[in-house]
Amino acid sequence: MDITINLGDLPTALHQAGLAGLYLVLSKLQQFNGQLFSWKLEKDSVTLQGKCSDQEALEWLLSHTYQLDNEGLIKIPILGYLTRDERVNFHQGMTGTLIFHPLVVKSSRGIVTATLEIDEKVLEFKYKALDYYPHQDLSSLKAFDQKGNFKPSIKIAGWLYPGGSELHVALSGKTKLEESPEGLITLAFAPIVCSYYKIRSRLKQDKYLWALVIPEVEDLEQFTQTKLEAGSQTVKFDDYYASGISDASLRELTRLAGEKAIGSLTIKACEVWAFGSRPWSKQIVITAKQRVEINQNLRRLYWLCDRYLKGGIKVGKNGTFIAVSFGRELATESLTKGQPWYANLYPVLSLSSDYFEALLYERRLLQQMKEVTIEKGYVSPNATLFCDGITWIYKQLCYQAFSSTSGKPNYDRVRQDLQMSIRSVKTKQQFVRWLTELVSKPTNRNNPFWQEIDLGEFHQWAVKNWEECLSLAALAVLTYKNPWKVERTRNILLAKDITPPKDEQKFQLSESKNNSEESDNFTDEDEEDEGEDLTQVAPMSTDI
């Protein structure tokens, strides 16, 4: 055996991550260096040398890397001690992405039901207990000749490189990917340094079921140090569920970064591959790929998403379940495109009112996210003015409904009318007409938030950024809270010597009764049946 693999020679991020995986394995097995074969580790290359055959060397490495525990869960001893929930997450991730096909694994026990206790809550999950999986020896690839040396070109399967399986049987295998020995070795060790996230997306549903996150490695030594830091080996249960692939990628980059400054980050970018199904087939395939690069601004905004647009373990009337935030999905999708976190609201809400209703369950979270991003300067002054102005208009429309009836005001009708008017706008010209009609109503004139500014310049900005303004209008409706009850906007109004009307207290009480804010921003509607091979949720039980 005499092989040198250079990081810069590898064709894809998955290959490069695989070389980092090989480096990690060899660094942990340093006490055996020189016994069967020897190796040399540098920050950009790995060299393997020895008198043993290629087959003996690779099988020895694989036997120390890929194992199974007595529960049939994948075990990676090289990563050090992992808690049971971390091992479950890794197992579910690999079986949900790389080795999901039943023909590539052996399982005499089949689907097994087990439980986890997280934060004193018991969750039930189902997984496929394995007796064997192909990464343990790569024997199905027939990579060696009779002397145990690598063949010069080796046909690979989809479990080694997703999408690398034969596409058209009629072409007699001509579409099947082939790899060099160096490529095969790196791909074999990629799974241990990648991360796996269960995706629960409202927008993509079955199209996004799993995310495989591949780190872009530039320095093998630094990456290995980061990966082996306490808590960085694999994804913890609290981070396991992501709202989308953008959420998964930002979560992984933030997790690996920890508290380090951007300039000292080991991993600054990653690729994320979404695995899901198509309407015409139940087979799991790659449905999307995305590259995300972290920067200081993006990381800070994601920290706010993580804090204010929370999911987590919830207890509902049907038991304990895992909830994810729909608002977080929309926010992270916008952030990875370099847009304001709220930019996806108008395009998504214009598709269906069901999305709007789903976001109403999170209105308190969204309202907190709106206020903190305004306070920290992540929302531009003009955008803040526009959102505050629409909030005031909404308040005036509600006040009109309150003043015009002696019974219970129909605030839902006010919200729905404003919501539908936003959805109806499709062009810049329609936006100008919509805004003109909205502000020209008698109750909406003399908007205090739009006083003492250059209205002509502000109007030009709004027209130029009309789609963002519609998202801001949707945000104002979704997060509506009487401006007199929000400290920031109340201070603005008081600074302008504006005082509430005499019956404002009764009006606020009427609003509160109609728009009561739930103590829990998720309902049992968030609970889903995820299938046999995915983490399940179960009612609390004292018998477990």
Side-chain angles (χ1 to χ4, degrees), residues 8 56 108 168 211 271 307 309 335 342 378 419 429 438:
E56 288 175 310
S108 59
H168 303 288
E271 284 189 16
R307 180 175 180 180
L309 302 179
L335 291 177
Y342 51 79
Y378 292 115
Q419 168 195 337
Q429 290 73 24
L438 192 64

Side-chain angles (χ1 to χ4, degrees), residues 514-533:
N514 189 77
N515 296 312
S516 60
E517 294 177 341
E518 299 89 341
S519 60
D520 190 344
N521 295 283
F522 297 92
T523 71
D524 287 305
E525 292 177 0
D526 292 289
E527 188 173 354
E528 299 176 9
D529 179 10
E530 301 179 38
E532 289 187 329
D533 62 334

Side-chain angles (χ1 to χ4, degrees), residues 24 28 75-83 86-87 228 233:
L24 188 155
K28 294 289 285 186
K75 180 181 178 181
I76 311 294
I78 294 296
L79 294 179
Y81 173 76
L82 300 179
T83 62
E86 289 171 334
R87 288 186 284 117
L228 293 179
Q233 296 97 321

